[in-house]
Amino acid sequence: MLRPMVSADREPVLNLIQATGFFTPDEVKVAEELIDIYLTNPAQRDYFIVVVENDSGQVTGYMTYGPTPLTEGTWDLYWIAVSPAEQGKGYGRMLVRHLEEEVRRKGGRLILIETSSQPKYQPTRKFYEKLGYTEVARIPDFYRPGDDRVIFGKYFR
Ligand SMILES: CC(C)(COP(=O)(O)OP(=O)(O)OC[C@H]1O[C@@H](n2cnc3c(N)ncnc32)[C@H](O)[C@@H]1OP(=O)(O)O)[C@@H](O)C(=O)NCCC(=O)NCCS
């Protein structure tokens, strides 16, 4: 059900990112760039991408993560999205749990997730809180006036 992303997943993943309606065209472009780095350069170790399939074998969610450069044991969850029709069914939790297992396995100690303070991201913030993440930092007016960068974190040791 959960597995590393492969080239055949590129279109389904881009479709589900767009279908969420959450991301601006520029954000989608950045997500796409990371996907292409991951798919075209198997030797790189900066970005890892996994997908989750539903019972019919359709790709319903994806997550990009990686070790934060120049840190000891800090990891970033860069992107996560579940297709709207499949949200609320536990796929997002499955993806984050996978990241946590990976981070523990590799001796990591901290996972960070950045998000926005916009009201439309409130469900996303609730999701992170539900999974045990707390707000560890906030930069007022970071994305644009009135839109803070909110950083959620979870320490493992
Ligand atoms: C955020 C997102 C990845 C969550 O994935 P999901 O599959 O819908 O979440 P899950 O079903 O695994 O939910 C896990 C827990 O979080 C809670 N949760 C999920 N969405 C929630 C919401 N809208 N409000 C409150 N709690 C929520 C669930 O209730 C669940 O807890 P429970 O099992 O105790 O009920 C998904 O909704 C999404 O793709 N959102 C749009 C894109 C986005 O915001 N990406 C992150 C950008 S920073």
Side-chain angles (χ1 to χ4, degrees):
M1 250 207 184
L2 190 150
R3 56 173 176 76
M5 184 180 183
V6 295
S7 297
D9 301 321
R10 192 176 183 282
E11 287 314 308
V13 165
L14 288 174
N15 288 342
L16 81 85
I17 290 171
Q18 261 154 355
T20 64
F22 259 71
F23 305 110
T24 64
D26 281 348
E27 288 169 337
V28 173
K29 225 189 294 169
V30 173
E32 193 172 355
E33 276 169 21
L34 298 190
I35 287 170
D36 287 338
I37 290 171
Y38 172 81
L39 290 176
T40 59
N41 184 357
Q44 64 84 30
R45 285 289 170 267
D46 295 323
Y47 303 108
F48 297 90
I49 307 187
V50 289
V51 298
V52 63
E53 292 177 356
N54 65 11
D55 293 340
S56 325
Q58 286 169 318
V59 172
T60 54
Y62 104 113
M63 172 180 66
T64 302
Y65 64 93
T68 312
L70 306 178
T71 66
E72 288 179 14
T74 298
W75 287 68
D76 267 305
L77 192 171
Y78 293 115
W79 290 86
I80 184 167
V82 171
S83 61
E86 305 277 6
Q87 288 176 9
K89 296 183 180 174
Y91 292 114
R93 179 194 294 273
M94 207 183 287
L95 288 163
V96 175
R97 291 297 179 240
H98 170 79
L99 167 58
E100 294 177 353
E101 279 163 26
E102 282 292 285
V103 168
R104 279 206 186 89
R105 203 169 59 79
K106 293 181 172 163
R109 45 183 193 90
L110 170 63
I111 294 177
L112 294 177
I113 312 173
E114 280 175 25
T115 191
S116 140
S117 68
Q118 286 178 67
K120 79 166 179 178
Y121 279 95
Q122 207 219 338
T124 305
R125 295 192 299 272
K126 289 273 163 239
F127 166 73
Y128 296 137
E129 283 166 6
K130 195 79 189 240
L131 296 189
Y133 291 76
T134 54
E135 184 178 319
V136 292
R138 178 181 285 250
I139 304 173
D141 301 325
F142 177 80
Y143 293 107
R144 53 193 68 76
D147 187 358
D148 305 346
R149 178 187 202 168
V150 185
I151 304 174
F152 282 90
K154 191 178 197 176
Y155 287 88
F156 293 87
R157 62 182 169 83

